[in-house]
Amino acid sequence: TGRATAATPAMALIGAASGPLVGGVLAQNLGYEALGMAAVAVSLCSATCFTMARYSASAAQPLRAV
C-alpha cells in the first residue's frame, strides 16, 4: 500500500540517525561486546516478527467476490 511504501524510507532514515548514537552509548558504557549482543537481539526480534507475519498471512482468508 501507499503507507508501507512511504514508511520504508522513514524507517531507514530513523535507523541511520539513531544507529551511531545507540552504538556509541553501548560501546562506551558496556564495551564492544554489547554491539554484538544487540545485533543478535535485533536479529532474533526480526526473525520472530517475520515468522509471526508469515503464519498470520497464511491463516488469513482471501475475500471472495459475490
Side-chain angles (χ1 to χ4, degrees):
T1 64
R3 282 188 188 171
T5 304
T8 302
M11 290 184 284
L13 292 174
I14 290 170
S18 64
L21 175 67
V22 172
V25 169
L26 284 173
Q28 187 174 17
N29 293 324
L30 301 174
Y32 287 104
E33 295 85 9
L35 296 176
M37 288 186 263
V40 169
V42 169
S43 299
L44 288 174
C45 181
S46 174
T48 302
C49 288
F50 275 109
T51 302
M52 290 174 59
R54 188 176 89 192
Y55 286 129
S56 67
S58 66
Q61 297 292 327
L63 295 175
R64 296 178 190 202
V66 178

